[in-house]
Amino acid sequence: MRIGLITPDPGHPLLAATAALLGARHEVEVLHPAAQAPAAVAAPADVYLLKARTPEALELARALEGAGAPVVNSAAATERCQDRTGMAALALGAGLPFAATRTFGSLAGLESAPELEWPLVVKSRRSRKDDLVVRLDGPARLRELAPRWGREPVVTQAFAPNSGWDHKLWVVGDEVFAGVRRSELAAAGAEEDPGPGRLPEGWAELALRVGGAFGLDVYGVDVLATGDGDPLIVDVNAFPGIRGQAGAPEALAALTLRRAAGARP
């Protein structure tokens, strides 16, 4: 069986470990999206893993899908996680507990926006590496960000009181992995690290519902435990790193083979 990795970084720990598992019995090849012209792929592999979000990577994935090859995640599903305005609309339309989101043409436009309630969280509308994600406690901070980010299209979300820890849920097929990370947006005096522990009841099922709504096979969901303990989704990511999660490479390898055989996860 031939398996393709669409990525500029085949040495990424998750991909490298998965490729090592698959390579024992199958042929694994790497397609660098910036160097691989879609038209140059003469004979598609049995399945591809899309761990890249650039326009070149998406174009390549669409071309491979057009040739009949399954791609994990699909180009369309990956794109759904790039526009945070569309992300929020899709999630809320599916009945998911996603943070209410407003869209602005630029960060500078927030200065004259009516009815802003502080503190609030501001994010780049387009999700990408090194994008803007910041908590603003008042309008003064806007002026500090203006030189670099003033023209950046942004979304805002109300700051939800929480423990100060981001709950990271990662899904590979039908397996859910979880961890916690100190939030960069937390106020001083946040609670102690709760540790990974067990997911609250219903959270694993919630993560799987996200995949159904977005058409994703491998993805991450950022969740806050609000003051009343209810989960609040604040972001969805296609094919995240899932570093340090025991069993994740094995789950990804198994999913890859299922998709190559034509089975859904």
Side-chain angles (χ1 to χ4, degrees):
M1 191 173 289
R2 288 176 57 220
I3 298 159
L5 309 180
I6 304 174
T7 178
D9 183 18
H12 182 284
L14 175 63
L15 284 185
T18 302
L21 291 170
L22 294 169
R25 298 184 61 184
H26 306 281
E27 179 184 350
V28 179
E29 58 190 41
V30 177
L31 285 73
H32 193 301
Q36 179 69 58
V41 183
D46 296 285
V47 66
Y48 291 90
L49 302 183
L50 174 59
K51 184 156 177 48
R53 300 183 293 174
T54 62
E56 296 86 357
L58 295 174
E59 181 185 4
L60 176 57
R62 280 190 290 266
L64 293 166
E65 290 168 347
V71 178
V72 180
N73 300 292
S74 71
T78 301
E79 286 184 306
R80 292 185 193 110
C81 298
Q82 292 187 287
D83 177 9
R84 287 191 169 105
T85 298
M87 178 194 301
L90 177 57
L92 291 168
L96 297 167
F98 198 93
T101 301
R102 296 177 63 186
T103 303
F104 295 86
S106 69
L107 178 73
L110 291 178
E111 286 203 77
S112 58
E115 301 177 355
L116 288 181
E117 296 184 5
W118 312 95
L120 55 79
V121 177
V122 178
K123 303 178 180 181
S124 296
R125 175 171 177 170
R126 181 174 176 272
S127 175
R128 62 192 190 277
K129 184 178 180 180
D130 298 324
D131 58 1
L132 176 66
V133 179
V134 63
R135 168 180 166 166
L136 300 182
D137 292 315
R141 179 77 168 117
L142 287 172
R143 291 184 283 275
E144 298 177 17
L145 295 171
R148 178 180 177 185
W149 297 102
R151 296 186 179 182
E152 177 83 357
V154 296
V155 300
T156 64
Q157 298 172 345
F159 181 78
N162 61 86
S163 67
W165 295 89
D166 293 336
H167 292 259
K168 311 290 288 188
L169 278 61
W170 300 285
V171 181
V172 180
D174 57 3
E175 295 193 42
V176 181
F177 303 87
V180 292
R181 182 182 67 185
R182 182 73 166 86
S183 174
E184 298 176 356
L185 310 178
E191 298 175 9
E192 294 183 1
D193 183 351
R198 299 179 63 181
L199 283 176
E201 183 177 356
W203 281 33
E205 291 78 7
L206 174 63
L208 294 173
R209 285 176 56 202
V210 171
F214 283 78
L216 292 162
D217 294 319
V218 183
Y219 57 97
V221 186
D222 293 349
V223 184
L224 299 179
T226 59
D228 57 9
D230 290 336
L232 180 69
I233 300 172
V234 294
D235 223 338
V236 179
N237 305 285
F239 219 124
I242 321 181
R243 296 174 184 268
Q245 293 293 309
E250 290 79 3
L252 182 55
L255 170 65
T256 301
L257 296 177
R258 291 200 303 272
R259 289 300 307 276
R264 296 296 300 176

